[in-house]
Short mmCIF file of all heavy atoms in Angstrom, two decimals:
data_model
loop_
_atom_site.label_atom_id
_atom_site.label_comp_id
_atom_site.label_asym_id
_atom_site.label_seq_id
_atom_site.Cartn_x
_atom_site.Cartn_y
_atom_site.Cartn_z
N GLN A 17 -0.16 12.32 -8.63
CA GLN A 17 0.72 11.73 -9.71
C GLN A 17 2.14 12.18 -9.49
O GLN A 17 2.41 13.20 -8.88
CB GLN A 17 0.21 12.17 -11.07
CG GLN A 17 -1.17 11.63 -11.40
CD GLN A 17 -1.68 12.12 -12.74
OE1 GLN A 17 -1.12 11.77 -13.79
NE2 GLN A 17 -2.70 12.93 -12.72
N ALA A 18 3.05 11.41 -10.05
CA ALA A 18 4.48 11.64 -9.85
C ALA A 18 4.89 13.00 -10.30
O ALA A 18 4.52 13.48 -11.39
CB ALA A 18 5.30 10.57 -10.61
N LEU A 19 5.69 13.68 -9.45
CA LEU A 19 6.34 14.96 -9.74
C LEU A 19 5.36 16.12 -9.93
O LEU A 19 5.67 17.11 -10.59
CB LEU A 19 7.25 14.84 -10.96
CG LEU A 19 8.23 13.65 -10.95
CD1 LEU A 19 9.27 13.78 -12.08
CD2 LEU A 19 8.93 13.50 -9.63
N THR A 20 4.17 15.96 -9.39
CA THR A 20 3.23 17.07 -9.34
C THR A 20 3.41 17.84 -8.03
O THR A 20 4.17 17.40 -7.13
CB THR A 20 1.78 16.57 -9.39
OG1 THR A 20 1.56 15.65 -8.31
CG2 THR A 20 1.49 15.85 -10.71
N ASP A 21 2.70 18.96 -7.90
CA ASP A 21 2.79 19.68 -6.61
C ASP A 21 2.29 18.84 -5.45
O ASP A 21 2.81 18.94 -4.34
CB ASP A 21 1.98 20.98 -6.73
CG ASP A 21 2.62 21.99 -7.68
OD1 ASP A 21 3.79 21.80 -8.05
OD2 ASP A 21 1.93 22.94 -8.07
N ALA A 22 1.27 17.99 -5.74
CA ALA A 22 0.74 17.12 -4.67
C ALA A 22 1.81 16.10 -4.25
O ALA A 22 1.93 15.77 -3.06
CB ALA A 22 -0.52 16.43 -5.14
N ASP A 23 2.54 15.57 -5.22
CA ASP A 23 3.63 14.64 -4.92
C ASP A 23 4.66 15.35 -4.03
O ASP A 23 5.15 14.75 -3.04
CB ASP A 23 4.26 14.14 -6.18
CG ASP A 23 5.35 13.08 -5.98
OD1 ASP A 23 5.36 12.44 -4.91
OD2 ASP A 23 6.18 12.88 -6.89
N ARG A 24 5.01 16.56 -4.38
CA ARG A 24 5.96 17.30 -3.55
C ARG A 24 5.47 17.46 -2.11
O ARG A 24 6.23 17.26 -1.15
CB ARG A 24 6.20 18.70 -4.16
CG ARG A 24 7.03 19.63 -3.29
CD ARG A 24 7.44 20.88 -4.03
NE ARG A 24 6.33 21.56 -4.66
CZ ARG A 24 6.48 22.51 -5.58
NH1 ARG A 24 7.67 22.87 -6.00
NH2 ARG A 24 5.40 23.11 -6.09
N GLU A 25 4.19 17.77 -1.97
CA GLU A 25 3.62 17.93 -0.62
C GLU A 25 3.63 16.61 0.14
O GLU A 25 3.94 16.58 1.35
CB GLU A 25 2.19 18.48 -0.76
CG GLU A 25 1.56 18.82 0.59
CD GLU A 25 0.13 19.34 0.43
OE1 GLU A 25 -0.27 19.66 -0.69
OE2 GLU A 25 -0.58 19.43 1.47
N GLY A 26 3.27 15.51 -0.54
CA GLY A 26 3.28 14.21 0.12
C GLY A 26 4.67 13.79 0.54
O GLY A 26 4.85 13.23 1.66
N ARG A 27 5.66 14.06 -0.29
CA ARG A 27 7.05 13.76 0.08
C ARG A 27 7.49 14.56 1.30
O ARG A 27 8.17 14.01 2.19
CB ARG A 27 7.96 14.11 -1.11
CG ARG A 27 7.85 13.19 -2.31
CD ARG A 27 8.51 13.87 -3.51
NE ARG A 27 8.59 12.97 -4.66
CZ ARG A 27 9.61 12.17 -4.91
NH1 ARG A 27 10.67 12.19 -4.13
NH2 ARG A 27 9.62 11.38 -5.99
N ALA A 28 7.13 15.80 1.35
CA ALA A 28 7.54 16.64 2.49
C ALA A 28 6.95 16.14 3.78
O ALA A 28 7.60 16.10 4.82
CB ALA A 28 7.13 18.11 2.23
N LEU A 29 5.66 15.72 3.74
CA LEU A 29 5.03 15.17 4.92
C LEU A 29 5.71 13.88 5.37
O LEU A 29 6.00 13.68 6.57
CB LEU A 29 3.54 14.90 4.63
CG LEU A 29 2.74 14.22 5.76
CD1 LEU A 29 2.75 15.07 7.03
CD2 LEU A 29 1.30 13.97 5.29
N PHE A 30 5.98 13.01 4.40
CA PHE A 30 6.66 11.76 4.73
C PHE A 30 8.03 12.03 5.32
O PHE A 30 8.44 11.38 6.30
CB PHE A 30 6.77 10.91 3.46
CG PHE A 30 7.53 9.63 3.63
CD1 PHE A 30 7.15 8.68 4.58
CD2 PHE A 30 8.67 9.38 2.84
CE1 PHE A 30 7.86 7.49 4.72
CE2 PHE A 30 9.38 8.20 2.99
CZ PHE A 30 8.98 7.25 3.94
N ARG A 31 8.78 12.96 4.78
CA ARG A 31 10.09 13.30 5.31
C ARG A 31 10.01 13.77 6.76
O ARG A 31 10.79 13.36 7.61
CB ARG A 31 10.77 14.33 4.44
CG ARG A 31 12.19 14.68 4.91
CD ARG A 31 12.90 15.57 3.92
NE ARG A 31 14.36 15.43 4.07
CZ ARG A 31 15.22 15.71 3.12
NH1 ARG A 31 14.82 16.12 1.94
NH2 ARG A 31 16.51 15.55 3.32
N ARG A 32 9.02 14.63 7.04
CA ARG A 32 8.86 15.12 8.42
C ARG A 32 8.58 13.96 9.36
O ARG A 32 9.16 13.91 10.47
CB ARG A 32 7.72 16.15 8.48
CG ARG A 32 8.03 17.48 7.81
CD ARG A 32 7.06 18.57 8.24
NE ARG A 32 5.66 18.28 7.90
CZ ARG A 32 5.11 18.60 6.73
NH1 ARG A 32 5.84 19.19 5.80
NH2 ARG A 32 3.84 18.31 6.50
N TRP A 33 7.73 13.06 8.93
CA TRP A 33 7.43 11.90 9.80
C TRP A 33 8.69 11.03 10.04
O TRP A 33 8.92 10.55 11.13
CB TRP A 33 6.33 11.06 9.15
CG TRP A 33 4.96 11.60 9.31
CD1 TRP A 33 4.56 12.52 10.23
CD2 TRP A 33 3.81 11.26 8.51
NE1 TRP A 33 3.20 12.76 10.09
CE2 TRP A 33 2.73 12.01 9.05
CE3 TRP A 33 3.57 10.40 7.47
CZ2 TRP A 33 1.44 11.92 8.51
CZ3 TRP A 33 2.32 10.31 6.94
CH2 TRP A 33 1.25 11.07 7.44
N CYS A 34 9.46 10.82 8.99
CA CYS A 34 10.67 9.99 9.12
C CYS A 34 11.68 10.64 10.06
O CYS A 34 12.27 9.98 10.92
CB CYS A 34 11.30 9.75 7.76
SG CYS A 34 10.37 8.64 6.67
N GLU A 35 11.88 11.93 9.88
CA GLU A 35 12.85 12.62 10.73
C GLU A 35 12.38 12.67 12.17
O GLU A 35 13.17 12.57 13.11
CB GLU A 35 13.12 14.02 10.18
CG GLU A 35 13.90 13.96 8.83
CD GLU A 35 14.09 15.30 8.19
OE1 GLU A 35 13.37 16.27 8.57
OE2 GLU A 35 14.96 15.42 7.31
N ALA A 36 11.06 12.79 12.37
CA ALA A 36 10.52 12.78 13.73
C ALA A 36 10.74 11.41 14.39
O ALA A 36 10.82 11.33 15.63
CB ALA A 36 9.03 13.14 13.71
N ALA A 37 10.83 10.38 13.56
CA ALA A 37 11.08 9.03 14.08
C ALA A 37 12.58 8.75 14.20
O ALA A 37 12.97 7.60 14.46
CB ALA A 37 10.43 7.98 13.17
N GLY A 38 13.38 9.76 14.03
CA GLY A 38 14.85 9.62 14.24
C GLY A 38 15.61 9.07 13.05
O GLY A 38 16.79 8.72 13.19
N MET A 39 14.98 9.00 11.90
CA MET A 39 15.66 8.47 10.71
C MET A 39 16.33 9.59 9.93
O MET A 39 15.86 10.73 9.90
CB MET A 39 14.66 7.74 9.82
CG MET A 39 14.17 6.42 10.41
SD MET A 39 13.15 5.46 9.25
CE MET A 39 11.61 6.37 9.36
N SER A 40 17.41 9.24 9.27
CA SER A 40 18.06 10.15 8.35
C SER A 40 17.54 9.86 6.94
O SER A 40 17.31 8.71 6.59
CB SER A 40 19.60 9.97 8.37
OG SER A 40 19.95 8.63 8.02
N VAL A 41 17.30 10.90 6.14
CA VAL A 41 16.68 10.76 4.83
C VAL A 41 17.65 11.17 3.73
O VAL A 41 18.14 12.30 3.75
CB VAL A 41 15.38 11.57 4.72
CG1 VAL A 41 14.73 11.38 3.36
CG2 VAL A 41 14.39 11.16 5.83
N ALA A 42 17.93 10.26 2.80
CA ALA A 42 18.73 10.55 1.63
C ALA A 42 17.84 10.50 0.41
O ALA A 42 16.82 9.80 0.39
CB ALA A 42 19.87 9.53 1.52
N VAL A 43 18.21 11.24 -0.63
CA VAL A 43 17.44 11.29 -1.87
C VAL A 43 18.42 11.11 -3.01
O VAL A 43 19.46 11.78 -3.11
CB VAL A 43 16.69 12.63 -2.01
CG1 VAL A 43 15.86 12.65 -3.30
CG2 VAL A 43 15.83 12.90 -0.79
N ASP A 44 18.08 10.22 -3.96
CA ASP A 44 18.95 9.99 -5.11
C ASP A 44 18.52 10.85 -6.28
O ASP A 44 17.55 11.65 -6.21
CB ASP A 44 19.06 8.51 -5.47
CG ASP A 44 17.82 7.93 -6.12
OD1 ASP A 44 16.91 8.69 -6.50
OD2 ASP A 44 17.76 6.70 -6.25
N ARG A 45 19.24 10.75 -7.41
CA ARG A 45 19.00 11.63 -8.55
C ARG A 45 17.69 11.31 -9.26
O ARG A 45 17.24 12.09 -10.11
CB ARG A 45 20.16 11.54 -9.53
CG ARG A 45 21.46 12.09 -8.92
CD ARG A 45 22.61 11.99 -9.94
NE ARG A 45 22.38 12.86 -11.08
CZ ARG A 45 23.13 12.87 -12.19
NH1 ARG A 45 24.13 11.99 -12.30
NH2 ARG A 45 22.86 13.67 -13.17
N MET A 46 17.02 10.23 -8.91
CA MET A 46 15.68 9.95 -9.42
C MET A 46 14.60 10.43 -8.46
O MET A 46 13.41 10.23 -8.70
CB MET A 46 15.51 8.47 -9.68
CG MET A 46 16.13 7.97 -10.95
SD MET A 46 15.37 8.66 -12.46
CE MET A 46 13.75 7.91 -12.39
N GLY A 47 15.00 11.04 -7.38
CA GLY A 47 14.02 11.53 -6.38
C GLY A 47 13.56 10.47 -5.42
O GLY A 47 12.68 10.74 -4.59
N THR A 48 14.13 9.27 -5.49
CA THR A 48 13.71 8.22 -4.56
C THR A 48 14.24 8.56 -3.14
O THR A 48 15.40 8.97 -2.98
CB THR A 48 14.26 6.86 -5.01
OG1 THR A 48 13.65 6.54 -6.28
CG2 THR A 48 13.91 5.77 -4.02
N MET A 49 13.39 8.35 -2.16
CA MET A 49 13.72 8.70 -0.77
C MET A 49 14.10 7.45 0.01
O MET A 49 13.39 6.43 -0.06
CB MET A 49 12.51 9.37 -0.12
CG MET A 49 11.99 10.61 -0.83
SD MET A 49 10.42 11.22 -0.17
CE MET A 49 10.91 11.71 1.47
N PHE A 50 15.20 7.53 0.75
CA PHE A 50 15.70 6.42 1.56
C PHE A 50 15.82 6.91 3.00
O PHE A 50 16.71 7.70 3.30
CB PHE A 50 17.04 5.93 1.06
CG PHE A 50 17.05 5.46 -0.36
CD1 PHE A 50 17.42 6.33 -1.41
CD2 PHE A 50 16.67 4.15 -0.69
CE1 PHE A 50 17.43 5.89 -2.73
CE2 PHE A 50 16.67 3.72 -1.99
CZ PHE A 50 17.07 4.59 -3.03
N ALA A 51 14.93 6.44 3.88
CA ALA A 51 14.97 6.82 5.31
C ALA A 51 15.62 5.71 6.10
O ALA A 51 15.12 4.57 6.11
CB ALA A 51 13.57 7.12 5.81
N ARG A 52 16.71 6.00 6.80
CA ARG A 52 17.52 4.97 7.45
C ARG A 52 17.38 5.02 8.97
O ARG A 52 17.56 6.09 9.58
CB ARG A 52 18.98 5.15 7.05
CG ARG A 52 19.95 4.13 7.68
CD ARG A 52 21.36 4.40 7.19
NE ARG A 52 22.37 3.58 7.83
CZ ARG A 52 23.07 2.64 7.21
NH1 ARG A 52 22.88 2.41 5.94
NH2 ARG A 52 23.98 1.94 7.88
N ARG A 53 17.08 3.86 9.52
CA ARG A 53 17.15 3.66 10.97
C ARG A 53 18.43 2.87 11.25
O ARG A 53 18.58 1.76 10.79
CB ARG A 53 15.93 2.88 11.48
CG ARG A 53 15.88 2.72 13.03
CD ARG A 53 14.65 1.89 13.42
NE ARG A 53 14.33 2.03 14.85
CZ ARG A 53 14.76 1.17 15.77
NH1 ARG A 53 15.51 0.10 15.42
NH2 ARG A 53 14.42 1.32 17.03
N GLU A 54 19.34 3.45 12.00
CA GLU A 54 20.66 2.87 12.17
C GLU A 54 20.61 1.54 12.91
O GLU A 54 19.74 1.35 13.79
CB GLU A 54 21.60 3.83 12.86
CG GLU A 54 23.06 3.51 12.70
CD GLU A 54 23.42 3.36 11.20
OE1 GLU A 54 23.75 4.40 10.61
OE2 GLU A 54 23.39 2.24 10.70
N GLY A 55 21.51 0.65 12.58
CA GLY A 55 21.65 -0.61 13.26
C GLY A 55 22.86 -0.62 14.19
O GLY A 55 23.70 0.26 14.16
N ALA A 56 22.95 -1.68 14.98
CA ALA A 56 24.09 -1.80 15.91
C ALA A 56 25.40 -2.00 15.13
O ALA A 56 26.48 -1.63 15.63
CB ALA A 56 23.86 -2.99 16.85
#
């Protein structure tokens, strides 16, 4: 469920995967995660 310890753990795993794929990760004040793959 949202904002539980399990949510925190799932977010951290997702962030690691995104960064391993070369994406930059931004987070807004609602905690929404935005992983960006740059374009030309």
Side-chain angles (χ1 to χ4, degrees):
Q17 296 178 66
L19 311 190
T20 58
D21 291 347
D23 184 21
R24 172 169 52 195
E25 185 181 348
R27 289 164 173 269
L29 176 60
F30 176 58
R31 183 171 204 157
R32 290 197 298 273
W33 282 341
C34 289
E35 290 175 343
M39 290 186 282
S40 59
V41 181
V43 182
D44 73 11
R45 295 181 66 190
M46 281 295 293
T48 297
M49 303 171 66
F50 301 95
R52 179 180 174 112
R53 184 182 195 265
E54 198 54 86

